[in-house]
Amino acid sequence: MARSTTGLHMGSGVAAAAAAVGVVELAAAFFSPAADARTAVGTAVINLTPGPVKEWAIQTFGTADKLFLSVSVLAVIGVLAAVAAIWERSRIPVGTLAFVAAAVAGCVAVLAIPGARGVDIIPTLLGAVCGIAVLRFLTGRIAASEAPETTDDADVDPGRRLSLLTFGIGGLGLLSGVAGAVISRRLHSVSGDRESFALPSAPPPSPIPADVTPAGVQLPSFITPNKEFYRIDTALSVPQLARADFRLRIHGMVDREVTYTFDDLAKFEPITKVVTLTCVSNPVGGDLISNASWTGYRVADLLRASGIHPDADMVLSTSIDGFTAGTPVEALTDARGSMLAIGMNGTPLPVEHGYPARLVVPGLYGYVSATKWVVDLELTRFDRAQAYWTKLGWSERGPIKTESRIDVPRDGQKVAKGPVTFGGVAWAQNRGVKAVEVRIDDGPWQAAQLGAAYSDDTWRLWSFPWTATQGGFHTITARATDNTGAVQTEDQAPPAPDGATGWPSVSFEVG
């Protein structure tokens, strides 16, 4: 009675895919970062994904969205390889053809990476050859095992032996991939370059008042530690750009094109400024917002030497990995003090937050302003150019809305009867927050106690003392008022296309 070999064929496909990806990762370590086909394919997936799907991923996975995508890409590769291997036969090599098609797609994805060279497809080709060789070898062994028995050794189980062989080859592929990742990190990492960099001496920012954080409630630190600062960007693999390789090109609608090296920046006056950044994907009451002290140079000073044409109304900033953002010219040249930041909380920028340089623009959502690893500033117009997110249907200009968040209590938290203090944060960058009101259940709005105001460009922490007397479930709702008198709107709106709106509300239990 013939044994079913479907499982063995599928296993051979997965093992061949693991070997192929492992060889690509290992070989790519000795080429440029663009040679990593896995990352290149993932980047292509990000770029081709419709805006609503990207927004769903951010809302669902938050800062773990890139990990989810990386795992998903590997899972899809494994599934496709397993299915294709079922139909791999000597006369009709469907699996082999699938690997060839995957190699072509990988080469195209690699060449689409900014800065990629022709030789960067070599790791992909090597991986494809290895994967096909493994697939042909294992499926050949499977075919041989289906032939009439030619041995008297009844104790040998060909299926078990093939399974162990397949598992071993897949494991070697996995180890090769891990080794490649480790070697690549050592060869291409700019962590040493960052550690050897000392920030320029700049006037310190205004002192932070001692009462900036209300007492009696556990709220986020006014200054967010670097490791806790939110990160949302399109970089599947963090770009590694050394200071010696940094070039900032300013061109387009200007009198003269200017290119700055990192050393050239030293001729400008350094400044330090505390600014709260907010992601447009932040839902009502969400945590995609953080506050830091930034060190850098005024973008207005950098632009001045180029001579901006009076009809230019947008600066299209580009990252080393090709991401673009369109920022109004006035936001980069007015008194708000937009920065080319090189430091964060007293240290050089963390690599994942844009080392060696990024943009920090008070008052605008990050998708139109906060370009990391920035290397290009093109003066243009909104009616002539579109940036990454605006091409996907998001608004051209992204002023941050007046919003608030409830940090205490957490949703579903149980609160003991008696005195309790609730609290949270509110923000309206470029306008500042002058009041926060809180409502318990359907009761009247009551004024919350505000921590000291630092500046209009930073969030403001608030607290609300309350006495819990009635057991059961309750809700707390908050709303902020900015310094222009505008009150946070009750109207519910999703993040797309220009930022979420609505009042944050949390349910809690007293008992």
Side-chain angles (χ1 to χ4, degrees):
M1 184 175 178
R3 300 186 306 272
S4 172
T5 58
T6 299
L8 290 174
H9 275 89
M10 294 179 69
S12 68
V14 174
V21 173
V23 167
V24 171
E25 290 284 313
L26 185 57
F30 301 97
F31 290 78
S32 78
D36 184 352
R38 177 187 58 83
T39 299
V41 170
T43 300
V45 171
I46 291 175
N47 292 336
L48 294 173
T49 299
V53 177
K54 292 180 182 178
E55 181 58 30
W56 170 83
I58 294 174
Q59 294 298 320
T60 304
F61 302 102
T63 55
D65 58 340
K66 296 168 190 64
L67 175 61
F68 169 76
L69 177 60
S70 297
V71 173
S72 297
V73 167
L74 293 176
V76 169
I77 290 173
V79 170
L80 293 178
V83 173
I86 296 175
W87 306 103
E88 174 71 9
R89 297 292 185 271
S90 58
R91 292 185 178 180
I92 309 177
V94 174
T96 297
L97 294 175
F99 271 75
V100 171
V104 171
C107 289
V108 171
V110 166
L111 293 176
I113 297 295
R117 307 161 301 171
V119 296
D120 288 331
I121 66 173
I122 291 177
T124 302
L125 298 177
L126 290 175
V129 170
C130 181
I132 291 171
V134 169
L135 180 68
R136 300 291 290 175
F137 170 72
L138 290 177
T139 54
R141 296 293 296 266
I142 294 171
S145 73
E146 294 178 305
E149 298 292 342
T150 58
T151 178
D152 295 330
D153 189 354
D155 294 332
V156 176
D157 182 349
R160 181 172 180 273
R161 186 166 53 193
L162 277 171
S163 297
L164 291 174
L165 180 61
T166 300
F167 182 80
I169 292 175
L172 287 175
L174 178 62
L175 289 176
S176 297
V178 172
V182 172
I183 294 173
S184 179
R185 188 174 294 117
R186 291 189 174 184
L187 292 179
H188 301 297
S189 174
V190 295
S191 60
D193 186 75
R194 176 181 178 272
E195 291 170 1
S196 65
F197 174 53
L199 289 177
S201 177
S206 301
I208 297 174
D211 56 349
V212 73
T213 300
V217 60
Q218 188 66 39
L219 295 178
S221 171
F222 179 73
I223 296 293
T224 308
N226 290 355
K227 291 184 177 180
E228 297 177 15
F229 204 98
Y230 81 92
R231 180 197 164 199
I232 296 291
D233 52 56
T234 62
L236 189 60
S237 178
V238 177
Q240 305 290 314
L241 179 61
R243 282 173 288 141
D245 299 324
F246 172 84
R247 299 290 184 276
L248 180 63
R249 180 188 178 208
I250 301 175
H251 62 107
M253 299 174 67
V254 295
D255 294 334
R256 65 196 66 85
E257 182 175 318
V258 179
T259 299
Y260 296 111
T261 66
F262 200 85
D263 289 340
D264 290 335
L265 300 177
K267 64 185 179 183
F268 295 98
E269 178 190 10
I271 61 172
T272 302
K273 188 176 179 66
V274 180
V275 178
T276 298
L277 298 187
T278 310
C279 181
V280 72
S281 294
N282 198 35
V284 174
D287 59 0
L288 298 180
I289 175 172
S290 302
N291 188 44
S293 176
W294 307 92
T295 300
Y297 306 95
R298 297 179 185 88
V299 177
D301 292 346
L302 303 179
L303 294 175
R304 189 172 296 115
S306 64
I308 303 172
H309 291 181
D311 54 339
D313 64 4
M314 183 181 86
V315 175
L316 186 69
S317 56
T318 303
S319 167
I320 188 68
D321 66 349
F323 172 82
T324 56
T327 309
V329 169
E330 64 267 22
L332 295 175
T333 56
D334 62 17
R336 76 185 69 192
S338 296
M339 302 170 63
L340 179 73
I342 60 173
M344 182 177 180
N345 291 333
T347 68
L349 284 174
V351 178
E352 63 272 18
H353 287 293
Y355 180 86
R358 63 166 294 165
L359 292 180
V360 171
V361 182
L364 298 181
Y365 287 118
Y367 82 103
V368 296
S369 65
T371 303
K372 303 172 185 174
W373 315 285
V374 63
V375 294
D376 191 280
L377 299 178
E378 179 186 0
L379 277 298
T380 182
R381 292 185 55 82
F382 281 104
D383 57 9
R384 297 181 187 177
Q386 285 187 306
Y388 182 92
W389 284 105
T390 52
K391 290 178 182 178
L392 298 174
W394 293 73
S395 297
E396 289 182 335
R397 303 166 187 263
I400 294 174
K401 299 177 178 179
T402 301
E403 297 292 326
S404 60
R405 185 180 75 197
I406 300 168
D407 289 88
V408 181
R410 293 295 184 184
D411 196 44
Q413 181 178 336
K414 192 168 185 177
V415 175
K417 286 186 177 182
V420 63
T421 301
F422 297 145
V425 296
W427 58 93
Q429 289 93 311
N430 247 13
R431 303 177 304 282
V433 173
K434 75 172 183 180
V436 172
E437 297 171 289
V438 171
R439 182 176 67 189
I440 303 297
D441 298 326
D442 294 322
W445 289 102
Q446 303 177 66
Q449 298 176 2
L450 297 179
Y454 181 79
S455 80
D456 289 349
D457 294 329
T458 60
W459 60 9
R460 197 164 184 186
L461 282 60
W462 59 267
S463 65
F464 180 73
W466 183 65
T467 301
T469 57
Q470 184 177 355
F473 288 93
H474 300 270
T475 59
I476 176 175
T477 306
R479 67 182 184 187
T481 301
D482 65 31
N483 284 323
T484 70
V487 179
Q488 179 179 352
T489 180
E490 181 184 11
D491 297 338
Q492 296 285 329
D498 59 0
T501 62
W503 293 339
S505 184
V506 168
S507 175
F508 62 98
E509 182 182 4
V510 173

